[in-house]
Amino acid sequence: MRTFDYVRAVDTREAVRLLADDPGASCLAGGTTQLDLMKDGVLEPPTLIDITRLPLHGIEPRGESLHVGALVTMEELAVDPVVAERLPMVREALLLAGSVQLRNMATIGGNLLQRTRCRYFRDPAVPECNKRAPGSGCSAVKGVARMHAVLGASERCIALHASDLAVALVSLDAVVHVQGVSERRTVPLTEFYLTADESPERENVLEHAELITEVEIPLPPATARSGYLKVRDRASYEFALASAAVLLVVQGGVIQQARVGLGGVGTKPWRAYEAEHVLTGAPATTAVFKDASEATMRDAFTVPGTAFKLPLARRTLVRELQTVSGVKA
Ligand code: FAD
Ligand code: SF4
């Protein structure tokens, strides 16, 4: 690993100023993504700014939203009583991610900003990777692809965004609060991420000298039911091949409100607006759920190793719609 300077920031403004002063610097939260990539030689920041002492550790219901500090750990959020009662989809997405050891280190801010697991991105010995070396090509499109994306993908890059939490949060219209050198801003999570076919090397709209300080999650109506289904190669400690985050409000057998997010398939956490359009106002039946799932993959880009994801993602969504609505298969 290349040597680097370590600086511990004491408040958010100082952390942002340290980042602004050093264009190569990175910040360190739980370190579960950042340190792995440094050990592998993929990232070589000259300076690491430790943000773990910043006062961003709170979980607070305010009005009809839950405000979650960026340094709250995944495990802390998973066991929060408001999340358990009002946001089961978020709780399930967290508890199905990584291991308990990992969730006790990993933070919410870091989870949203985790980097892709594409093996070619994570191996600096591979020269062709548009994300690591813009303009060099994409090794995965011609190579071994399985844990890769089919939506928001193209020949330029098929890197999957592997966060489970982000899939739940995009479907709930969560908002990230961002602190820059001179201003704060809020960005809806649905507008935060860029797809790999837009820009393989840039994954989101965060600027270098900006920190995520908080995630604001609107609380769904009390009549809503939600859940998260994750399909993977083994039962624990594995990333999604396909996943579905579903929230439904059903009255008298008719779907009043539908929110759908898809994981394991997108170069960004995927909000499935087409499925929501089919579901809203329709009867809660398996036939409607199948129609909704058919609408999701129309713009997919596949390579031989990822073609299996289309039927898998559709079936995953139908299954979770059945579970959340209580409609039998
Ligand atoms: P760090 O590693 O410290 O940082 C990650 C990135 O975010 C860095 O670029 C850092 O500079 C930046 N950063 C961190 N916080 C901020 C902030 N507040 N503002 C601005 N920039 C920031 N995730 C899943 O969703 N599902 C899984 O099943 C899953 N399985 C995993 C299995 C393994 C073995 C591992 C290693 C990881 C897994 N992950 C999974 C990913 C894991 O959840 C992330 O690595 C973790 O959430 C990152 O959080 P962190 O606090 O450790 O971030
Ligand atoms: Fe690089 Fe993206 Fe291709 Fe992976 S899929 S090799 S990250 S360009």
Side-chain angles (χ1 to χ4, degrees), residues 297-319:
M297 295 287 147
R298 287 190 183 134
D299 297 325
F301 172 87
T302 60
V303 294
T306 59
F308 76 97
K309 289 202 167 188
L310 273 54
L312 182 66
R314 290 189 190 112
R315 287 199 301 268
T316 303
L317 176 55
V318 171
R319 169 88 71 86

Side-chain angles (χ1 to χ4, degrees), residues 118 120-121 129-131 138-140 156-159:
C118 174
Y120 303 105
F121 170 74
C129 172
N130 282 328
K131 192 179 279 298
C138 172
S139 297
R156 296 174 69 202
C157 180
I158 55 173

Side-chain angles (χ1 to χ4, degrees), residues 9-299:
V10 293
D11 65 42
T12 307
R13 285 193 181 280
E14 185 197 16
V16 169
R17 187 181 51 72
L18 287 166
L19 280 172
D21 288 348
D22 185 345
S26 290
C27 60
L28 176 71
T32 60
T33 288
Q34 182 68 32
L35 295 179
D36 275 3
L37 291 171
M38 288 171 67
K39 286 186 219 163
D40 288 344
V42 179
L43 300 179
E44 297 188 318
T47 311
L48 260 194
I49 299 163
D50 183 342
I51 61 169
T52 54
R53 308 299 161 97
L54 306 188
L56 306 173
H57 292 267
I59 306 177
E60 192 189 334
R62 239 181 280 154
E64 278 309 295
S65 296
L66 190 67
H67 292 251
V68 181
L71 293 170
V72 168
T73 67
M74 293 169 69
E75 191 67 16
E76 285 167 340
L77 189 60
V79 301
D80 180 80
V82 177
V83 172
E85 190 187 328
R86 301 286 299 275
L87 298 164
M89 173 207 282
V90 170
R91 179 179 162 85
E92 289 164 21
L94 286 164
L95 292 177
L96 292 170
S99 61
V100 70
Q101 292 91 337
L102 191 91
R103 294 195 298 270
N104 275 319
M105 282 301 292
T107 64
I108 299 307
N111 184 281
L112 300 183
L113 295 171
Q114 65 178 277
R115 308 299 304 274
T116 184
R117 313 302 296 187
C118 174
R119 62 163 70 177
Y120 303 105
F121 170 74
R122 289 181 168 247
D123 183 354
V126 174
E128 287 187 0
C129 172
N130 282 328
K131 192 179 279 298
R132 204 168 11 80
S136 60
C138 172
S139 297
V141 163
K142 294 171 278 175
V144 178
R146 176 171 169 79
M147 302 300 291
H148 287 79
V150 294
L151 297 174
S154 71
E155 281 176 0
R156 296 174 69 202
C157 180
I158 55 173
L160 180 72
H161 196 290
S163 167
D164 293 295
L165 173 66
V167 173
L169 294 183
V170 290
S171 57
L172 290 167
D173 284 325
V175 170
V176 287
H177 292 233
V178 171
Q179 173 75 58
V181 176
S182 54
E183 60 166 15
R184 291 171 182 216
R185 62 186 179 122
T186 53
V187 187
L189 212 52
T190 48
E191 296 168 22
F192 182 75
Y193 293 104
L194 305 172
T195 59
D197 65 343
E198 287 171 272
S199 67
E201 67 285 358
R202 186 160 186 218
E203 294 169 6
N204 55 60
V205 300
L206 202 67
E207 301 292 343
H208 169 66
E210 283 188 324
L211 280 183
I212 295 181
T213 55
E214 183 177 300
V215 180
E216 181 180 341
I217 313 172
L219 293 170
T223 51
R225 295 192 60 197
S226 76
Y228 186 79
L229 177 63
K230 178 171 176 178
V231 177
R232 47 193 164 166
D233 276 330
R234 56 184 180 196
S236 74
Y237 207 23
E238 183 55 281
F239 292 92
L241 290 170
S243 70
V246 167
L247 179 145
L248 294 175
V249 177
V250 181
Q251 276 172 4
V254 176
I255 302 166
Q256 308 293 328
Q257 191 181 338
R259 301 284 183 76
V260 179
L262 298 175
V265 289
T267 58
K268 65 177 184 179
W270 205 262
R271 176 81 177 261
Y273 291 109
E274 314 83 354
E276 293 176 7
H277 184 69
V278 173
L279 292 165
T280 306
T285 63
T286 294
V288 169
F289 299 161
K290 285 184 176 164
D291 286 347
S293 78
E294 288 300 322
T296 57
M297 295 287 147
R298 287 190 183 134
D299 297 325

